[in-house]
């Protein structure tokens, strides 16, 4: 459902931007600023008409700087004559429909004096409870207008007992959850990495309107800025009746000069509302994401082995063949050769050379990529490859030939990144965009069998300076980098719509809906430790569905934390996302391989529920109860998968019994344990329970596994399949 009441071109008009379960109401009066009136549950038209009578106080829907300068604003500009004010008024409203059924409502505002306009857009889909809003600034005058602030959107959130859920972290510890009441003052959540934007804070937040955030209840707003670059989310709690939420590109050092006739389009801010708590917001985002934003969101993902933690840079033909054989033998469907396969003058043997020299190293791989594709085919699996095309090293043929392609200020030595030599290419430069396009185009043209690309990005933009942009436009560097990246990825996707592409950025640096139209998934973290993954995947799942979260079984002791964790537990955690492996199978025992073979077969049974189902987070690892638990339920509620992981190894820990959620209360479900290692079945194996019972009581998980004495270990875990009878 889109807009219920249309604009008639005359005086005041109420605009009802509606999704199946939510409403946003705006008031557009010709000659006055656009007003925001309501966001929340879906309203009947009769209630829309009575909003103001009920006491709703319309506020500016997109506050601008200059005539109300005492407050935070969404946009500020400097006109060619130096005037720093905006005075915007509604000039028109129009609706359009995209080919996929999405409807866009555009409210055009024009400055009352200057030839400058701002369009505010709202996109809705007939089947998703998400509203995407963004702004477009247009310079219709002759001189250059400087954009100093240019938020995508603004949302006033009524003052009360409002909690903010946001995400923080760092490399190898991404997606941590923070929950706190909103108090006076300003909260700023931001990124300034330049190239990637989600290792540290995330550009997504939730607002719980009824006090402390709950998973299954409470009115909750979710907001995600869909952008690959620097962002800034502000929540200003001042003297007004509302918490003022602004989200957009981070304008720090990025003032944008808008030339005559130029239009500046901000990235979309996606909003949802649910009265089913944080869980409702997550499910709304997951559904919208899979159906409308994520590349191939409706297709199931292949089970893969990635070579990185198995062999690191030690790539050779025999090793790759052995890994392909082993993953095929365990039931996997895809092999991905990671870093280390390229470089002729400078072979890539470590991280200090060769980025940019995307030519296969035939001393390591005499039969080249064609040979690897043939070996994959022989094993009945597909082949994928790692690249990091936005980057170079000072030790590379690319850098030697084109030092002008890197981001670097004039008269300064560039600060170098990973390996002491890594530099970021200037994606603002069309020649660099071409170069990056051709990295993919050449691989795909020469080896059309390539099924999967792991696209990495392992350095921030540390040096401010474009060798391509004019002196006047140096402040465009970071924004134009991301425009260039977007253009290049658009070109790649136009030519190669089918290839699977993973967004990796030193782990979880590109977990943002902004890049998802081009990417099928992201690497959640370079940390593959299963226990820490429970926390990281928990946080990441607030806005991203399991299908997008690459989650791999790796070695024990873990390579990052050195923690020893059983294969059972490592697998049970990986099975809650897009399952893969990141291990040297040669080092696994025959018994471990058997166990993995069975687990992979089990995962294939539940893959549609995990990857397309609705997520219910049940017991948070942050609650300190000694365990964490979540489940996925198929949209028709015929099937579900329940996960339970212990998080400490205390004896007699008095673990809570975890009620399930999302099931059909009147249906009866038969329970079957997956990836089972116990000598004896669980007491409820093969037994049936009503959804009502399971949601009120759950099932009792034993503290440990019933296995032979020498196989006992800490960190027990369970995966249960529930099938409607
Ligand atoms: C980054 C990625 C890893 C791996 C290495 C290769 O760190 O996050 O998964 O691909 O690069 O150098």
């Amino acid at each position: 459902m889109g807009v219920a009441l249309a604009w008639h071109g005359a005086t005041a008009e109420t605009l009802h931007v509606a999704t199946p379960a939510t409403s946003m109401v705006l008031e557009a009066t010709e000659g006055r600023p656009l007003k925001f009136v309501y966001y929340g549950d879906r309203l009947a038209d009769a209630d829309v008409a009575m909003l103001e009578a009920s006491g709703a106080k319309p506020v500016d829907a997109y506050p601008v700087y200059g005539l109300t300068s005492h407050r935070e604003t969404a946009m500020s500009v400097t006109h060619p004559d130096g005037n720093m004010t905006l005075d915007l008024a509604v000039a028109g409203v129009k609706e359009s429909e995209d080919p996929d059924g999405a409807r866009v409502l555009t409210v055009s505002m024009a400055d009352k004096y200057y030839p400058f306009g701002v369009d505010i857009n709202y996109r809705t889909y007939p089947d998703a409870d998400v509203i995407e809003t963004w702004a477009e600034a247009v310079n219709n005058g002759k001189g250059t207008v400087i954009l100093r602030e240019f938020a995508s959107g603004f949302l006033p959130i009524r003052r009360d007992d409002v909690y903010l859920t946001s995400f923080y972290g760092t490399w190898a510890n991404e997606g941590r959850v923070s929950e706190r009441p909103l108090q006076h003052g300003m909260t700023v959540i931001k990124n300034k990495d330049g190239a990637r934007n989600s290792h540290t804070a995330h550009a997504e937040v939730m607002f719980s309107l009824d006090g402390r955030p709950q998973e299954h209840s409470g009115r909750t707003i979710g907001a995600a800025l869909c952008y690959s670059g620097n962002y800034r989310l502000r929540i200003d709690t001042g003297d007004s009746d509302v918490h003022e939420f602004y989200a957009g590109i981070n304008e720090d050092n990025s003032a944008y000069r808008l030339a005559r006739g130029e239009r500046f389009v901000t990235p979309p801010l996606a909003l949802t509302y649910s009265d089913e708590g944080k869980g409702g917001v997550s499910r709304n985002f997951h559904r919208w994401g899979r159906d409308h934003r994520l590349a191939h969101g409706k297709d199931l993902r292949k089970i893969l082995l990635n070579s990185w933690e198995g062999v690191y840079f030690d790539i050779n033909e025999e090793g790759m063949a052995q890994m392909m054989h082993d993953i095929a033998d365990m039931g996997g469907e895809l092999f991905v050769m990671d870093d280390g396969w390229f470089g002729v003058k400078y072979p890539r043997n470590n991280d200090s050379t060769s980025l940019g020299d995307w030519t296969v190293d035939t001393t390591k791989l005499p039969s080249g990529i064609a040979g690897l594709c043939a070996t994959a085919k022989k094993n009945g699996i597909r082949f994928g490859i790692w690249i990091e095309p936005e980057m170079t090293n000072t030790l590379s043929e690319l850098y030697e030939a084109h030092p002008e392609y890197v981001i670097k200020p004039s008269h300064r030595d560039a600060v170098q990144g990973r390996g002491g030599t890594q530099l970021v290419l200037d994606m603002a430069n069309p020649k660099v965009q071409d170069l990056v396009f051709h990295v993919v185009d050449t691989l795909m043209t020469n080896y059309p069998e390539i099924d999967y690309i792991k696209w990495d990005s392992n350095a921030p933009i540390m040096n401010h300076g474009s060798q391509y942009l004019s002196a006047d436009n140096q402040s465009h560097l970071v924004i134009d980098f991301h425009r260039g990246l977007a253009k290049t990825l658009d070109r790649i996707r136009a030519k190669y719509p089918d290839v699977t592409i993973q967004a990796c950025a030193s782990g979880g640096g590109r977990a943002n809906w902004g890049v998802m139209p081009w990417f099928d998934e992201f690497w959640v973290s370079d940390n593959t430790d299963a226990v820490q993954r429970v926390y990281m995947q928990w946080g990441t799942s607030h806005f991203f569905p399991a299908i997008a979260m690459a989650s791999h079984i790796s070695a024990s002791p873990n390579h990052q934390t050195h923690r020893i964790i059983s294969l059972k537990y490592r697998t049970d955690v990986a099975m809650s996302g897009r399952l893969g492996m990141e291990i040297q199978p040669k080092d696994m025992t025959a018994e471990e391989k058997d166990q993995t073979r069975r687990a992979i077969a089990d995962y294939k049974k539940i893959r549609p529920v995990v990857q397309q189902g609705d997520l219910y987070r049940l017991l948070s690892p942050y609650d300190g109860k000694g365990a964490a638990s979540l489940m996925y339920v198929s949209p028709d509620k015929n099937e579900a998968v329940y996960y339970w992981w212990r998080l400490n190894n205390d004896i007699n820990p008095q673990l809570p019994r975890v009620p399930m959620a999302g099931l059909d209360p009147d249906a009866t479900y038969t329970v079957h344990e997956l990836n089972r290692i116990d000598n004896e079945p669980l007491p409820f194996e093969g037994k049936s329970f009503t959804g009502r019972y399971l949601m009120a009581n759950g099932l009792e998980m034993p503290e440990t596994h019933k296995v032979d004495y020498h196989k006992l270990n800490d960190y027990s875990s369970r995966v249960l399949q529930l099938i409607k009878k």
Side-chain angles (χ1 to χ4, degrees), residues 80-110:
D81 65 0
N83 186 316
M84 289 178 66
T85 68
L86 277 172
D87 191 3
L88 297 179
V90 172
V93 178
K94 70 169 197 285
E95 273 185 75
S96 60
E97 194 160 333
D98 286 358
D100 69 345
R103 301 180 76 173
V104 179
L105 172 77
T106 303
V107 181
S108 296
M109 291 195 283

Side-chain angles (χ1 to χ4, degrees), residues 255-277:
Y256 210 91
R257 294 165 57 83
L258 209 56
R260 163 189 196 159
E262 214 182 324
R263 177 174 280 263
F264 186 96
V265 181
T266 69
L269 170 66
L271 297 168
T272 196
Y273 168 86
S274 170
D275 58 11
E276 291 177 25

Side-chain angles (χ1 to χ4, degrees), residues 308 313 338-339 386 418 454 456 458 504 506-507 523 526:
W308 182 240
F313 289 105
D338 209 284
D339 201 350
W386 180 94
R418 188 181 184 202
K454 175 172 172 177
D456 217 331
N458 289 317
C504 179
S506 313
W523 185 220
D526 272 351

Side-chain angles (χ1 to χ4, degrees), residues 602 605-606 639-642 670-674 719-723:
D602 277 352
K605 292 183 209 152
I606 55 170
E639 263 183 75
V641 201
Y642 168 91
T670 308
V671 180
H672 171 55
E673 187 184 8
L674 301 178
V719 182
L720 307 178
Q721 184 182 28
L722 284 81
I723 299 184

Side-chain angles (χ1 to χ4, degrees), residues 181-199:
L182 274 180
Q183 287 169 347
H184 285 270
M186 184 137 104
T187 304
V188 177
I189 296 168
K190 59 163 176 58
N191 174 271
K192 288 187 171 193
D193 181 282
R196 308 82 47 90
N197 68 12
S198 55
H199 273 127

Side-chain angles (χ1 to χ4, degrees), residues 233-472:
L233 313 183
R234 284 169 285 162
I235 302 129
D236 191 28
T237 303
D239 59 352
S240 73
D241 289 339
V242 295
H243 301 286
E244 299 190 341
F245 173 56
Y246 300 83
I249 292 177
N250 193 335
E251 299 96 344
D252 262 13
N253 300 303
S254 289
Y256 210 91
R257 294 165 57 83
L258 209 56
R260 163 189 196 159
E262 214 182 324
R263 177 174 280 263
F264 186 96
V265 181
T266 69
L269 170 66
L271 297 168
T272 196
Y273 168 86
S274 170
D275 58 11
E276 291 177 25
K278 290 197 304 169
V281 164
S282 297
R283 290 185 289 281
N284 286 353
F285 264 98
H286 295 177
R287 247 177 263 136
W288 159 82
R290 282 190 306 252
D291 292 350
H292 300 291
R293 209 153 169 97
L294 180 66
H296 313 121
K298 293 178 181 167
D299 299 343
L300 298 183
R301 303 298 192 249
K302 298 186 183 78
I303 298 162
L304 62 84
L305 170 67
N306 177 290
S307 66
W308 182 240
E309 287 194 20
V311 298
Y312 293 102
F313 289 105
D314 189 13
I315 300 277
N316 59 63
E317 206 158 279
E318 210 173 87
M320 296 298 99
Q322 164 253 315
M323 287 182 123
M324 287 194 245
H325 168 268
D326 287 345
I327 186 62
D329 180 53
M330 286 187 279
E333 300 151 329
L334 167 71
F335 172 72
V336 182
M337 176 171 66
D338 209 284
D339 201 350
W341 59 268
F342 52 93
V344 175
K345 179 170 173 192
Y346 299 100
R348 175 84 169 171
N349 296 326
N350 55 51
D351 61 8
S352 66
T353 68
S354 327
L355 295 176
D357 301 350
W358 303 105
T359 307
V360 69
D361 180 347
T362 46
T363 55
K364 296 177 184 174
L365 300 165
S367 317
I369 293 167
L372 297 168
C373 290
T375 309
K377 193 164 179 201
K378 213 168 65 204
N379 283 290
I381 58 171
R382 307 301 301 268
F383 179 76
I385 196 161
W386 180 94
I387 52 174
E388 193 181 349
E390 301 151 76
M391 305 283 164
T392 190
N393 295 103
T394 49
L395 295 172
S396 71
E397 293 185 67
L398 173 65
Y399 183 73
E400 283 170 358
H402 292 290
E404 77 280 12
Y405 282 179
V406 304
I407 289 179
K408 182 186 114 42
S410 48
H411 315 300
R412 315 239 178 252
D413 292 335
V415 175
Q416 296 171 27
R418 188 181 184 202
T421 56
Q422 186 159 335
L423 290 170
V424 185
L425 296 176
D426 189 353
M427 292 298 293
N429 184 340
K431 286 191 181 143
V432 174
Q433 296 164 19
D434 263 356
L435 180 98
V436 172
F437 170 76
H438 285 297
V439 173
V440 175
D441 194 35
T442 307
L443 277 172
M444 294 303 297
T445 308
N446 292 343
Y447 316 107
E449 303 91 334
I450 291 178
D451 185 62
Y452 179 107
I453 291 171
K454 175 172 172 177
W455 178 305
D456 217 331
S457 171
N458 289 317
I461 297 181
M462 289 184 285
N463 309 283
H464 193 118
S466 169
Q467 302 187 72
Y468 167 75
L469 292 169
S470 68
D472 279 350

